Amino acid sequence: FVVGHLAEETPRATAAMKAAGIRALSFTAPAMESDAEFIGWLSPALRSARRVGRSVMVYGCHTQRRMALAGVLGATHASLTA
């Protein structure tokens, strides 16, 4: 099971991962002030990532609430940053 990690999720980087045959994709959540901003960033990032593989991991969520939001929006895994 091969997982690709993106330091920054962009459509171009996601397409490159898909071409490489990656089965899952992970990326790091940027620091954001509000949950609304987090959702605005995460929703399109997850849509792009789902085109690559079935599993999507979001590293560095800054609150448990954001981890839960990532799950509701479609991430299969999330990690908490203290």
Side-chain angles (χ1 to χ4, degrees), residues 1-79:
F1 190 77
V2 178
V3 178
H5 180 78
L6 299 175
E8 182 179 341
E9 195 286 322
T10 64
R12 185 176 189 181
T14 304
M17 289 289 184
K18 183 175 183 175
I22 300 298
R23 300 278 312 252
L25 190 61
S26 67
F27 44 83
T28 302
M32 297 184 174
E33 293 294 320
S34 70
D35 288 344
E37 187 179 10
F38 178 73
I39 292 168
W41 165 80
L42 187 56
S43 293
L46 287 173
R47 279 193 299 275
S48 294
R50 286 296 214 179
R51 292 184 191 119
V52 174
R54 292 176 47 177
S55 296
V56 181
M57 297 169 232
V58 181
Y59 288 104
C61 294
H62 294 298
T63 65
Q64 290 179 339
R65 178 177 170 79
R66 290 191 184 169
M67 288 177 63
L69 287 169
V72 167
L73 292 172
T76 56
H77 301 78
S79 73

